[in-house]
Amino acid sequence: QVQLVQSGTEVKKPGASVNISCKTSGYTFTSYSIYWVRQAPGQRLEWMGWINVANGNTKYAQNFQGRVTITRDTSASTAYLELSSLRFEDTAVYYCARRYFFDFWGQGTLVTVSS
Amino acid sequence: QSALTQPASVSGSPGQSITISCTGTSSDIGAYNYVSWYQQHPGEAPKLMIYDVTNRPSGVSNRFSGSKSGNTASLTISGLQAEDEADYYCSSYTTSATQVFGGGTKLTVL
């Protein structure tokens, strides 16, 4: 069965960077793109960007341009999200999801930015 | 990219039908038939309920249906059940090759 398993909870200081992994299984990794979405506490879902897993091309939301990098390791069937220059308002649950309509989701990774 | 517009809350009694609207622009909902709907229970990841405006993934009840007219998409839930109580989000592909979500709608089953 298709699974997306994300890395664990992170606590970071303002200005630091965070790297979250999304390990996939149950399908051919290079067949579908991976997307990243975040949700601040009590807030709506927010689209961050995506990666074409087959060729590595990426597209990022304007709100995160310059701070976000999405990569993948096809040998490990894993995608990664790096968010730099963290601010208090980056405290959120970060999700990876598969395909443009997000048919399968990771369990979410809580990132807390605190001094 | 501004968020799509959804009502903050809707409610209905068990057995009734409700509809949640999702309004965008000609640059997102109006441009493509790539509207999706997600159900999210507290503390859980979202779950795909409808994709490409009207399609239901395997395993999703046929009580859930989607439609679109112009720049507005809709999710209808018929025969409301207690377990339908959740937050619902719409999303759309955009002409900028990005995705945008709605603000979310809290469904209360009375």
Side-chain angles (χ1 to χ4, degrees), chain A residues 2-90:
Chain A
V2 174
Q3 285 191 307
L4 284 70
V5 179
Q6 299 180 220
S7 49
T9 298
E10 300 269 9
V11 180
K12 296 291 183 179
K13 293 191 182 303
S17 296
V18 68
N19 202 310
I20 304 168
S21 65
C22 172
K23 182 169 178 56
T24 72
S25 60
Y27 73 99
T28 301
F29 182 58
T30 50
S31 294
Y32 302 113
S33 296
I34 292 289
Y35 292 75
W36 288 90
V37 174
R38 77 175 186 181
Q39 187 172 37
Q43 300 301 308
R44 70 178 184 93
L45 300 169
E46 184 177 19
W47 186 84
M48 299 183 70
W50 69 285
I51 184 165
N52 180 323
V53 172
N55 61 22
N57 288 346
T58 55
K59 177 81 173 181
Y60 303 125
Q62 198 153 8
N63 288 351
F64 300 99
Q65 287 282 359
R67 289 207 302 142
V68 67
T69 304
I70 299 173
T71 57
R72 93 288 191 223
D73 179 347
T74 55
S75 66
S77 299
T78 301
Y80 302 91
L81 172 77
E82 181 181 21
L83 186 62
S84 62
S85 302
L86 288 171
R87 311 159 183 163
F88 295 119
E89 54 266 35
D90 291 320

Side-chain angles (χ1 to χ4, degrees), chain A residues 35-37 39 42-48 50 59-63 95 99-108, chain B residues 1-3 34 36 38 40 43-48 51-52 89 91 93 96-104:
Chain A
Y35 292 75
W36 288 90
V37 174
Q39 187 172 37
Q43 300 301 308
R44 70 178 184 93
L45 300 169
E46 184 177 19
W47 186 84
M48 299 183 70
W50 69 285
K59 177 81 173 181
Y60 303 125
Q62 198 153 8
N63 288 351
Y95 295 101
R99 303 184 72 176
Y100 70 91
F101 51 85
F102 317 137
D103 59 349
F104 287 92
W105 294 66
Q107 82 278 18
Chain B
Q1 182 76 43
S2 299
Y34 293 144
S36 304
Y38 308 90
Q40 187 179 35
E44 296 183 5
K47 174 187 175 184
L48 177 67
Y51 68 98
D52 294 351
Y89 292 90
S91 76
Y93 186 69
S96 302
T98 62
Q99 296 268 11
V100 61
F101 285 98

